[in-house]
């Protein structure tokens, strides 16, 4: 099993910054994609940003230019640096890690961390 521990959420005002971290531990053979999702009240969970094992990244349109995803493979950790935060960024943010062993992939989720942006 793989455990994910998230940290870094909190409350900020519009224009503020936060950095989320997610560390994976446990029986990890190979981590493929690491990603951040978010879910606002009454809305479906949506992809925010993802980074592959090769370092390629992709971002949801609303966060392009404001958020940066990165990973430290030696620490099995993924980060999400968030700048110029807006009230619409308010949500619970979830870390997602996809592992791969041979042809089998598995998805793991963090417990979620609340990000609140006030106007």
């Amino acid at each position: 099993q793989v455990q994910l521990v998230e940290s870094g959420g909190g409350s900020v005002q519009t224009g503020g910054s936060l950095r989320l971290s997610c560390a994976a531990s446990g029986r990890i053979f190979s981590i493929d994609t690491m990603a951040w999702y978010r879910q606002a009240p009454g809305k479906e969970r949506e992809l925010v940003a993802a980074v592959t094992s090769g370092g390629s990244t992709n971002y949801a349109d609303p966060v392009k230019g404001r958020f940066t995803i990165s990973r430290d493979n030696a620490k099995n950790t993924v980060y999400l640096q968030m700048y110029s935060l807006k009230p619409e960024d308010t949500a619970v943010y979830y870390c997602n890690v996809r592992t791969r062993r041979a042809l089998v992939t598995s998805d793991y989720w963090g417990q979620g961390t609340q990000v609140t942006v006030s106007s």
Side-chain angles (χ1 to χ4, degrees):
Q1 282 291 345
V2 175
Q3 295 79 42
L4 303 180
V5 177
E6 301 173 6
S7 61
S11 297
V12 296
Q13 293 187 329
T14 298
S17 301
L18 284 173
R19 188 192 194 209
L20 306 182
S21 300
C22 173
S25 62
R27 297 186 63 186
I28 301 172
F29 295 98
S30 177
I31 294 181
D32 193 353
T33 301
M34 306 181 84
W36 288 94
Y37 288 72
R38 67 186 181 186
Q39 186 167 18
K43 296 187 176 181
E44 294 185 353
R45 190 173 297 188
E46 62 178 4
L47 176 68
V48 176
V51 56
T52 68
S53 57
S56 297
T57 58
N58 69 285
Y59 296 90
D61 286 342
V63 308
K64 284 181 179 177
R66 299 188 298 121
F67 291 10
T68 300
I69 190 170
S70 61
R71 62 190 282 172
D72 184 333
N73 292 328
K75 296 180 179 179
N76 291 329
T77 299
V78 61
Y79 306 95
L80 185 68
Q81 178 67 56
M82 304 183 290
Y83 296 105
S84 302
L85 283 161
K86 305 175 181 180
E88 50 263 44
D89 295 318
T90 295
V92 177
Y93 284 69
Y94 296 91
C95 170
N96 170 266
V97 169
R98 174 165 292 179
T99 64
R100 184 182 301 276
R101 185 182 185 188
L103 298 179
V104 178
T105 60
S106 301
D107 278 301
Y108 298 91
W109 293 90
Q111 78 281 6
T113 185
Q114 178 71 45
V115 171
T116 302
V117 185
S118 59
S119 57

